[in-house]
Amino acid sequence: MGSTGTVLRELRGAQKSAKGVSLYSRYVNRPAGRMLAAGAYRAGLTPNQVTLVSAAFTYAALAAVALVEPSWTLGLAVYAALAVGFAFDSADGQLARLTGRGGPDGEWLDHVVDCGKLLLVHAAVLISFYRFGELPSDAWLLLPLGFQLAAVVTFCAGLLREQLGKAAATALAATAQASPAPADPGTPFAPVSRVRAVALLPADYGVFCLVFLLLGAPGAFRAGYAVLAVVHTLFLAAFLTKWFRELRALRPG
């Protein structure tokens, strides 16, 4: 087992592409995940165990949102736990690439945890609104449901875009008897763009987690959460249009 410095150098060489990644994930979450992956490697943890650690931090934070009265202290604790959980979510994949111990089971587990996270984060906000919020109107209870819908559809549609795109590209290559392996259609076609990385910041889960720092000011939290809900809905519309066009372009004939 090499030194931590050696492991970190190897991890830097095993990073996923920066295309289509926001500045937060590229410069904050991935480096943090790299440090955690190095620590997990030194501790002898498997990628699946790191995924479960990520789930423990994330789900504990969401349970606190639902069960504990909002305060500045709670907001800080929830944000810290969500940020650490998100970093471990990056670490499991980095550790899998470093050790070669990744597989379909690990990818499946990672997606299951992510899907549960997207469902629970907005369910926790809904419960908090109902239990503790002095809402201007009961209509505010619909906001987490709408945000949840946008988040889950984006997640599922993105996964389907990747998987169906790969299958379609492979079929086209086989039909054309192309010898080179097809490019990964799930990777954005545009080169790495700083403007795109900045534009994607509002849709980044790590940036979304920042809103929980406002739990001590219920009105500010509701306003920030509502703004993010609108932004994520607009991103969903843009993503669906883009992914549909890309898949249609892969149609045979």
Side-chain angles (χ1 to χ4, degrees):
M1 185 178 293
S3 67
T4 300
T6 301
V7 174
L8 285 172
R9 284 193 296 272
E10 292 179 359
L11 283 167
R12 276 192 289 269
Q15 294 297 298
K16 296 168 70 175
S17 169
K19 294 179 180 179
V21 176
S22 83
L23 286 182
Y24 179 89
S25 286
R26 184 176 179 183
Y27 292 112
V28 178
N29 197 58
R30 284 188 178 181
R34 188 159 58 241
M35 296 294 295
L36 293 174
Y41 177 78
R42 299 281 294 173
L45 297 180
T46 67
N48 287 350
Q49 289 172 330
V50 173
T51 300
L52 294 177
V53 172
S54 170
F57 274 97
T58 300
Y59 291 175
L62 299 181
V65 171
L67 301 176
V68 180
E69 186 171 359
S71 66
W72 291 110
T73 301
L74 176 66
L76 182 60
V78 166
Y79 170 71
L82 291 177
V84 171
F86 191 34
F88 271 111
D89 188 28
S90 174
D92 59 5
Q94 297 190 50
L95 181 62
R97 288 188 292 276
L98 174 68
T99 61
R101 298 175 69 180
D105 60 318
E107 186 173 358
W108 176 85
L109 180 62
D110 185 56
H111 289 326
V112 168
V113 170
D114 285 344
C115 187
K117 171 177 68 180
L118 292 177
L119 287 167
L120 289 176
V121 67
H122 301 293
V125 172
L126 174 61
I127 294 171
S128 181
F129 278 178
Y130 180 78
R131 295 187 66 201
F132 308 113
E134 296 180 1
L135 303 176
S137 166
D138 287 344
W140 278 93
L141 295 174
L142 298 175
L143 179 62
L145 295 177
F147 203 158
Q148 184 182 73
L149 175 65
V152 173
V153 171
T154 300
F155 178 76
C156 293
L159 285 179
L160 284 170
R161 159 67 183 93
E162 180 179 358
Q163 297 303 318
L164 293 174
K166 286 179 179 179
T170 301
L172 284 174
T175 301
Q177 295 182 344
S179 54
D184 180 359
T187 302
F189 301 114
V192 176
S193 165
R194 182 62 60 89
V195 173
R196 178 181 174 85
V198 171
L200 287 172
L201 276 172
D204 193 296
Y205 175 77
V207 174
F208 162 74
C209 292
L210 288 168
V211 76
F212 289 97
L213 290 172
L214 299 174
L215 278 175
F221 175 78
R222 286 197 305 270
Y225 184 81
V227 168
L228 286 171
V230 171
V231 170
H232 278 245
T233 301
L234 294 175
F235 268 98
L236 171 61
F239 287 149
L240 290 181
T241 301
K242 175 179 181 290
W243 293 333
F244 180 81
R245 289 175 176 172
E246 290 175 351
L247 288 172
R248 185 169 59 183
L250 292 172
R251 185 186 301 175

